[in-house]
Amino acid sequence: MSFSRNVFTFLKEASAAHARWDLEISTSIIKNRRRLLSVLLLALPIIMVCVVEAYEQPEILGGKSAYAPAFYTTNIFLAAIALGFAAGLITGCIGAGGGFIITPALMAMGVKGILAVGTDLFHIFAKAIMGTTIHSKLGNVSVRLAIAFLVGSVGGTFIGGALNKGLYDANPILSDLFISSIYALLLGFLGFYALFDFLKESRGKKASTVPENGAGEKSGALAAHIQALNMPPMIGFDNRADSGGRRISAWVVAAGGVVVGFLAAIMGVGGGFVTFPMFVYVFGVSSMTTVGTDIFQIIFTAGFAAIGQYAVYGYVFYSLAIGMLLGSLIGIQVGALTTTVVEGVHIRGFYALSILSGFFNRVATLPKKLVELEVISWPASLVNWIEQAGNVVFWVAVALFGIWVCGMFIANIGKLRSGASQ
């Protein structure tokens, strides 16, 4: 039980760390006119296509002919904006979890798994290069740690990308089954533990908490053992956080990078989000150094994975990526503001709801994939019904959450305005 609880804490802190990064990057874009303009310029051709398509001329830019974004339709672009908005609401309001639903949601919209992963990665990469600033946090980057980590993470993206492409080349259905299974395991583990915590808190019992940014400043037993491994070259870091500084083998850091790069390449957001707890809890790096190094590495890890493993092979849905970026910039701001007028227990409940809805959605697709692969022989009507039920549960849960958050935001807009002016 303690092991699973530690894993849950690790993954939940990872989810929260990714949400903090997403909120900071999105806010940086919103508040900077140049960056916001760059997003709008990227979206402008696709918006123009929406106008063109309204006059029933789909074969111009945006159709399925040459010089067109991959299989563009206005409906899919608008759906991408709505998806980005919903993911942003979850990230901003709950402080975790929004990024987890993007790949499953794209697959629920009918996008192939490999395209969903590539598009999610490209969306993260685009957001990172537009929103990251060279500010004081980057002054805390340990260059040697970052380089060792990036050597591993770039290698990991090649391994994960090769696996995904190999499965897709062998059988696209097998690829979808693999990606859905990975997400089902991750979302199921996180979702049921989050539900358990919510039920405990709603009954008046103390629920487990997610450590804040400062958690893990003192190296735990695991980190102490890791740092004690003497495998040259050794990297020194955190000279200011700890008298005499700390040291860790570059091989260990590179191995952690391989894991992150591999997960990023096979899941999209599912890889980079574990960097924060890995640095803090496994490597024993201070949170200040971790934040700066994470901001630095995510651009390169996401970039190598998105471009080197997916975009060059045609596995990025650009109109979807830009739509998600536009929607998430707005959604995350609305969600973050709404947290000031809702109770924490409600946020915990919606965290569990959103994660579990993604879990049920992915699980519901597995029987149909197994039938198509001729592993099981269930009736086609049954597996189609199960898949449809999973889609309904997912989209209803996301819609209810979005309506609730937007309703709370509108109902309390006066209070939010007065709070902002103070």
Side-chain angles (χ1 to χ4, degrees):
M1 182 68 176
S2 60
F3 173 76
S4 58
R5 172 60 65 182
N6 288 336
V7 173
F8 169 64
T9 302
F10 180 93
L11 290 175
K12 198 170 182 186
E13 172 57 15
S15 178
H18 183 80
R20 287 192 292 269
W21 172 85
D22 203 353
L23 177 58
E24 179 178 352
I25 293 298
S26 299
T27 303
S28 175
I29 295 173
I30 288 286
K31 291 185 176 180
N32 187 297
R33 290 182 181 178
R34 271 179 154 182
R35 292 179 187 144
L36 188 57
L37 181 62
S38 68
V39 175
L40 295 177
L41 287 176
L42 277 174
L44 185 60
I46 303 174
I47 294 173
M48 290 174 64
V49 169
C50 291
V51 177
V52 171
E53 195 178 67
Y55 287 91
E56 298 183 352
Q57 299 178 36
E59 292 308 315
I60 306 178
L61 176 64
K64 295 182 182 180
S65 55
Y67 312 110
F71 295 94
Y72 168 83
T73 69
T74 296
N75 288 342
I76 205 76
F77 179 59
L78 296 177
I81 294 177
L83 171 58
F85 182 75
L89 285 179
I90 295 171
T91 299
C93 186
I94 298 172
F100 288 148
I101 74 162
I102 290 179
T103 296
L106 288 175
M107 294 179 73
M109 288 164 56
V111 178
K112 286 290 183 185
I114 195 167
L115 266 171
V117 171
T119 303
D120 190 8
L121 275 169
F122 188 83
H123 150 257
I124 294 168
F125 174 58
K127 186 180 288 186
I129 59 174
M130 289 178 189
T132 297
T133 55
I134 306 300
H135 51 55
S136 58
K137 285 183 179 177
L138 292 182
N140 296 311
V141 173
S142 170
V143 176
R144 295 181 69 192
L145 276 177
I147 290 174
F149 189 82
L150 284 172
V151 168
S153 68
V154 170
T157 65
F158 279 94
I159 298 170
L163 175 61
N164 255 359
K165 293 194 295 287
L167 289 172
Y168 186 79
D169 290 341
N171 190 328
I173 299 171
L174 183 61
S175 171
D176 281 2
L177 177 68
F178 173 70
I179 295 169
S180 292
S181 298
I182 294 293
Y183 265 101
L185 286 172
L186 174 68
L187 297 179
F189 188 84
L190 268 175
F192 282 110
Y193 258 106
L195 179 63
F196 176 72
D197 271 3
F198 166 70
L199 293 175
K200 282 179 65 176
E201 185 171 357
S202 62
R203 292 171 185 166
K205 298 178 181 178
K206 186 177 180 181
S208 66
T209 57
V210 178
E212 296 296 331
N213 245 1
E217 291 300 326
K218 293 182 179 179
S219 297
L222 175 60
H225 285 302
I226 295 294
Q227 291 176 16
L229 295 174
N230 188 18
M231 295 186 296
M234 302 295 290
I235 299 174
F237 61 95
D238 281 343
N239 293 323
R240 287 178 294 177
D242 197 351
S243 58
R246 302 169 187 172
R247 297 171 77 242
I248 191 170
S249 171
W251 293 103
V252 172
V253 178
V258 171
V259 172
V260 169
F262 175 78
L263 289 175
I266 64 170
M267 295 180 67
V269 74
F273 83 103
V274 302
T275 305
F276 186 91
M278 178 182 288
F279 267 70
V280 173
Y281 300 126
V282 180
F283 297 162
V285 181
S286 68
S287 60
M288 288 184 63
T289 301
T290 294
V291 169
T293 307
D294 194 18
I295 289 172
F296 181 77
Q297 69 82 27
I298 197 168
I299 297 176
F300 294 95
T301 301
F304 273 105
I307 297 173
Q309 299 304 311
Y310 292 96
V312 296
Y313 297 100
Y315 297 136
V316 172
F317 208 149
Y318 297 103
S319 53
L320 273 179
I322 300 305
M324 290 191 299
L325 179 58
L326 288 172
S328 67
L329 289 177
I330 301 170
I332 201 167
Q333 302 300 320
V334 173
L337 287 171
T338 307
T339 59
T340 62
V341 292
V342 296
E343 296 182 21
V345 65
H346 293 154
I347 292 176
R348 282 184 181 274
F350 275 112
Y351 175 80
L353 173 67
S354 62
I355 296 297
L356 283 175
S357 67
F359 162 73
F360 285 120
N361 176 265
R362 287 302 87 203
V363 168
T365 66
L366 300 183
K368 184 176 181 179
K369 302 300 179 188
L370 291 172
V371 167
E372 290 173 339
L373 289 169
E374 299 181 352
V375 176
I376 60 176
S377 56
W378 292 7
S381 58
L382 175 61
V383 295
N384 287 333
W385 182 87
I386 293 173
E387 182 180 47
Q388 188 63 31
N391 282 334
V392 170
V393 168
F394 178 73
W395 292 117
V396 166
V398 171
L400 286 175
F401 175 77
I403 292 169
W404 178 77
V405 174
C406 291
M408 293 296 293
F409 177 80
I410 294 170
N412 293 278
I413 197 165
K415 188 186 298 184
L416 292 170
R417 273 183 181 174
S418 62
S421 62
Q422 291 175 357

